[in-house]
Amino acid sequence: MSAPVVEIRNLEKTYGLAFVLREVQLRLLAGAGAFIIGGNGAGKSTLLRILAGLEAPSGGHALVFGQDTRRLAARYRRRIGLMAHQSFLYPNLTARENLEFYAELYSLADPRECAHQWLGRVGLAEVADTRVRAFSRGMEQRLSAARAMLAEPALLLLDEPFASLDHDGAEIVAALIRGAVERGACVLATTHGIPEIDGVELAVFEISRGRLMQHAHKEEGRRGGRIRSLLGR
Amino acid sequence: MNNPTIRNWLGFSTLALMLVSLFMVFDYVPPDAEMGIAQLIFYFHVPLAWVAFASFGLVAIAGIFYLWLGDQLWDDLGYAAAETGMVFCTLVIVTGSIWAKPIWGTWWTWDSRLTMTFILWLMYGGYLMLRASADDTPQVARFGAVIGIVAAMDVPIVIVSVRMWRTIHPAVLVTKQGTHGLEDPRMVWTLLVSLTAFTLLWAWFLMLRFTQLRTRSRMAWLAGRIALATAVASDPK
Amino acid sequence: MSGFAAVLRKDLRLELRSGESTLALLALSMLVLVVLVFALGAARVRSVDAAAGALWVAMVFAGMLGANRALLAERDNGAIRGLLLSPLDPSTLYAAKLCAAFIFMAVAEVGAVILMVLFFNLDFDASMARLAPILVLGAIGFSALATLLSAITGRTRGGDMLLPILVVPIFVPALIAGVKASAAALSGAPFESMGDWLKIMIAFDVLFVTAGYLLFEHVVGGD
């Protein structure tokens, strides 16, 4: 029985007098796809940043691959892909150079080939040698998705992956998410509307007043909506 | 550490010993043959310097423990030590200047010890400016710890380089070294008493400030708890 | 190791593309030297002591800018977070940033030395060869310190103003040693006479490269 990819117990995050997250419980196994919805400032991004180890929780535990996210060793970090609001891309490098750089950081076998493939996959092959500075927000978002998924992470954290994407772009990213779930990665994404991705069973959670609840399911709703150990099967 | 009884006891014994030390400096100890009455400031100057340097050592030690253990207590201690140290370090420079004017004929000279004290003062001034320009988050606490450690590491090299700097250029003025002969045993006793008095004063200041910072950290923690509790209480059942 | 090379190569490529940092560093060095020539007056401009002092003032200011620049690229689009999340070690990141800052500084120093010789009426002779190791040691120490501290000041309000306030006092020992050794080198003194100053600079470099390497993770990580 393998450990859950994500395990959150009683997580809290406060900034001074304001709390962002409280009593958050979540368990995700490999191959699970989950979306979190909630209004602006609900704490969705904070939750993803905590899981990526970029922010420390104020209380409770956040475990990824069974490791505390406050101290993730390199070999666990390399299995996490994060697509955040900020693209993490260098405006003065071309799309290809950006991907090659990250491929080198993740010590992938053939950075050049890898960058080439991913540029094709996100439909940016034609602008591969254009600097990211000149990209539209949607193009940057596609490249950011490629950057996050480059090293085939076992845990994919996506913050608003469909934001500013056109119809084609959204299709591409949806296909990538489906692909990741199919190869057994665990995907946790935030979004505004309730998403639908063909062929993937998605669990939907909502963050409301700092708490994470499973969304719109009858039985769970009646029991107060607190998530104990869902997902997985 | 936060026991008010200990704090009061410390405050009163500081007061008592300070009075004794004042009496000894002004009435008991014979003034220096060459320098006359100006030399008496030495009995304040040296203890001040000792506690100033001890504070900065404490900043670095607290910094190491903070980075190691991550307990807010160490950051509060380091911050309190830096603030206290800054007060005493300023007084070291002021008392030194007051002494230097009649003896060396100038308020300031780039003597090796003066230079070193001044550089320390600048370093910890930077530390305090950094702390003042940011909120008290764990991140800024780590920044403070790193600066405290780096500054303390620098001190030995500063001492060596400043000494070489002044000895290669011949010093125009008599070095302080020659004037420090404590030939009279009464001088030794006076120095010991004032050293103890100032160490107690320092410990008392440090403890007061540390207690304040501890209270502030606890209040910040409590504020978070209250926010959570309020949110829980107003949850729809 | 591949992470180190990747980051350094990326930084140098960015720099070659824009040339912003190096140009800014060179311009600043030149302006500092010009200001000092006017400030010191024509009479004193002939002394090697003044030249050595001016060179180090230019170096400190250019170095501050260089260290800031080396980390600036990571602030666009939050790239630093992408690096921290990658398997790259924070210490390796420090090493790469230190190298980048050193290279920018070295380029600026070459320019500053040429200008110093011209402005202060010196000669391009054997003293330049003696000056080189001193400047290299100074640049290593300064980059080591400024890279660590600019990671701190870059993340606080009004940080750019705080950087010199934090860096300069700590850099004082290397500055004293560097100015003294440079003046000796320019006046044609034998290499042995600067031995003690060089030792101080080496000690400073070793200490601060090690400190930066060990402490960097605490200033870039988390929150």
Side-chain angles (χ1 to χ4, degrees):
Chain A
M1 162 104 201
S2 65
V5 177
V6 170
E7 187 167 16
I8 297 178
R9 292 195 299 256
N10 270 322
L11 185 82
E12 285 170 10
K13 181 72 188 179
T14 55
Y15 294 105
L17 264 171
F19 68 89
V20 184
L21 297 170
R22 62 194 167 104
E23 298 170 59
V24 173
Q25 321 276 1
L26 180 67
R27 230 170 106 90
L28 295 175
L29 299 182
F35 269 82
I36 302 174
I37 59 175
N40 292 333
K44 304 180 304 261
S45 307
T46 306
L47 184 61
L48 292 194
R49 278 203 300 273
I50 289 175
L51 284 175
L54 292 174
E55 227 170 295
S58 314
H61 294 279
L63 305 178
V64 168
F65 310 117
Q67 308 293 313
D68 194 315
T69 56
R70 270 174 279 208
R71 281 188 188 133
L72 281 177
R75 69 198 155 105
Y76 296 109
R77 286 203 305 270
R78 68 165 296 125
R79 293 169 65 195
I80 304 174
L82 170 68
M83 178 180 172
H85 275 282
Q86 291 178 302
S87 66
F88 302 164
L89 299 166
Y90 296 95
N92 277 331
L93 293 182
T94 66
R96 187 196 306 281
E97 286 165 344
N98 265 297
L99 291 189
E100 279 180 15
F101 170 63
Y102 277 100
E104 282 173 41
L105 279 189
Y106 282 85
S107 336
L108 300 183
D110 189 350
R112 191 164 272 275
E113 179 55 30
C114 172
H116 183 73
Q117 274 180 10
W118 276 98
L119 285 167
R121 257 175 243 174
V122 294
L124 292 174
E126 283 168 28
V127 286
D129 296 311
T130 306
R131 288 192 203 176
V132 171
R133 181 177 290 285
F135 274 23
S136 71
R137 183 76 193 107
M139 288 155 84
E140 194 171 332
Q141 184 80 350
R142 290 185 192 198
L143 191 61
S144 173
R147 192 209 66 83
M149 300 186 197
L150 201 67
E152 309 223 316
L155 171 61
L156 195 51
L157 304 168
L158 308 169
D159 201 357
E160 311 266 356
F162 301 113
S164 41
L165 286 178
D166 56 11
H167 182 263
D168 290 353
E171 289 282 302
I172 288 170
V173 171
L176 289 174
I177 293 175
R178 183 165 54 235
V181 171
E182 275 164 8
R183 72 173 160 78
C186 168
V187 178
L188 182 62
T190 69
T191 176
H192 280 303
I194 298 176
E196 273 178 42
I197 296 176
D198 294 341
V200 183
E201 199 185 319
L202 293 175
V204 178
F205 298 93
E206 180 169 2
I207 295 186
S208 166
R209 301 166 52 78
R211 291 204 302 199
L212 184 71
M213 329 222 227
Q214 185 154 36
H215 188 253
H217 279 303
K218 302 126 242 165
E219 308 90 348
E220 286 293 332
R222 242 189 304 120
R223 285 209 308 250
R226 208 79 57 79
I227 303 306
R228 276 157 209 109
S229 69
L230 301 163
L231 285 203
R233 6 238 87 158
Chain B
M1 216 23 196
N2 294 340
N3 189 333
T5 323
I6 300 180
R7 229 162 38 229
N8 290 338
W9 182 84
L10 192 61
F12 283 120
S13 42
T14 306
L15 178 65
L17 213 57
M18 271 294 170
L19 289 174
V20 175
S21 126
L22 275 176
F23 165 77
M24 288 177 89
V25 168
F26 286 112
D27 208 48
Y28 169 74
V29 77
D32 184 82
E34 286 169 51
M35 287 187 279
I37 198 161
Q39 186 264 344
L40 293 178
I41 206 167
F42 160 86
Y43 299 106
F44 299 131
H45 181 70
V46 172
L48 284 170
W50 139 246
V51 291
F53 297 152
S55 307
F56 295 148
L58 194 56
V59 175
I61 293 168
I64 292 170
F65 276 99
Y66 182 72
L67 292 184
W68 182 22
L69 302 169
D71 189 336
Q72 182 58 32
L73 179 136
W74 293 107
D75 179 53
D76 291 336
L77 181 63
Y79 197 0
E83 287 186 332
T84 321
M86 195 63 183
V87 172
F88 284 103
C89 198
T90 310
L91 288 175
V92 173
I93 294 176
V94 171
T95 51
S97 272
I98 294 173
W99 175 84
K101 185 61 185 169
I103 304 301
W104 287 347
T106 171
W107 295 110
W108 182 260
T109 171
W110 293 97
D111 163 75
S112 67
R113 278 180 224 208
L114 267 69
T115 310
M116 189 202 73
T117 312
F118 182 52
I119 291 168
L120 266 183
W121 187 84
L122 285 177
M123 287 200 260
Y124 290 93
Y127 172 101
L128 292 178
M129 279 185 78
L130 176 87
R131 300 292 312 233
S133 76
D135 303 328
D136 287 295
T137 59
Q139 189 192 49
V140 176
R142 281 200 310 276
F143 292 170
V146 167
I147 292 170
I149 294 168
V150 167
M153 272 175 37
D154 200 33
V155 170
I157 312 192
V158 171
I159 293 174
V160 173
S161 64
V162 163
R163 200 168 287 163
M164 271 174 65
W165 181 55
R166 290 315 297 177
T167 49
I168 285 185
H169 257 275
V172 184
L173 302 155
V174 199
T175 58
K176 247 167 144 185
Q177 208 93 49
T179 65
H180 277 181
L182 297 172
E183 56 281 333
D184 195 310
R186 281 180 295 178
M187 290 179 168
V188 179
W189 279 113
T190 309
L191 180 60
L192 283 178
V193 169
S194 58
L195 267 176
T196 319
F198 275 93
T199 310
L200 285 181
L201 178 70
W202 171 69
W204 186 48
F205 276 12
L206 187 65
M207 196 182 254
L208 283 174
R209 188 64 184 138
F210 177 63
T211 312
Q212 276 180 349
L213 290 174
R214 286 308 293 151
T215 310
R216 196 175 64 170
S217 301
R218 288 221 192 83
M219 281 179 54
W221 179 83
L222 261 179
R225 295 289 97 185
I226 290 168
L228 276 176
T230 318
V232 170
S234 63
D235 269 343
K237 282 289 171 269
Chain C
M1 202 57 214
S2 74
F4 171 82
V7 174
L8 185 57
R9 198 158 52 228
K10 185 262 304 168
D11 279 351
L12 294 183
R13 174 178 279 162
L14 280 173
E15 182 53 35
L16 284 177
R17 194 153 288 174
S18 68
E20 278 172 4
S21 305
T22 326
L23 272 180
L25 260 61
L26 277 169
L28 186 65
S29 305
M30 184 164 87
L31 287 176
V32 168
L33 287 172
V34 169
V35 167
L36 283 171
V37 167
F38 289 131
L40 292 172
R44 264 186 278 185
V45 150
R46 286 212 150 268
S47 92
V48 288
D49 285 334
L55 182 63
W56 279 79
V57 174
M59 180 160 145
V60 165
F61 280 98
M64 218 96 70
L65 198 63
N68 244 341
R69 288 285 174 155
L71 278 167
L72 205 60
E74 308 301 343
R75 277 184 232 165
D76 291 346
N77 290 333
I80 183 80
R81 293 186 159 189
L83 295 185
L84 290 176
L85 187 63
S86 80
L88 184 76
D89 219 14
S91 310
T92 313
L93 177 60
Y94 173 75
K97 289 289 163 193
L98 164 58
C99 278
F102 172 77
I103 291 170
F104 298 163
M105 232 179 132
V107 172
E109 273 179 15
V110 171
V113 167
I114 294 172
L115 290 171
M116 174 196 72
V117 172
L118 299 177
F119 290 178
F120 287 78
N121 304 313
L122 305 173
D123 290 312
F124 292 101
D125 55 20
S127 63
M128 295 296 129
R130 282 200 301 270
L131 198 57
I134 301 166
L135 294 182
V136 167
L137 285 176
I140 293 174
F142 194 90
S143 316
L145 181 62
T147 302
L148 177 67
L149 294 182
S150 68
I152 290 178
T153 57
R155 299 180 71 187
T156 49
R157 270 179 278 129
D160 291 340
M161 219 179 62
L162 269 176
L163 183 65
I165 293 175
L166 291 174
V167 169
V168 172
I170 299 180
F171 189 63
V172 159
L175 183 65
I176 291 177
V179 172
K180 286 289 173 185
S182 304
L186 287 176
S187 64
F191 210 80
E192 300 79 61
S193 67
M194 329 171 215
D196 284 345
W197 295 120
L198 290 180
K199 273 185 214 154
I200 288 183
M201 298 184 82
I202 292 168
F204 186 90
D205 290 3
V206 170
L207 208 56
F208 282 95
V209 170
T210 318
Y213 194 78
L214 294 176
L215 294 172
F216 197 64
E217 64 168 307
H218 296 293
V219 300
V220 288
D223 309 314

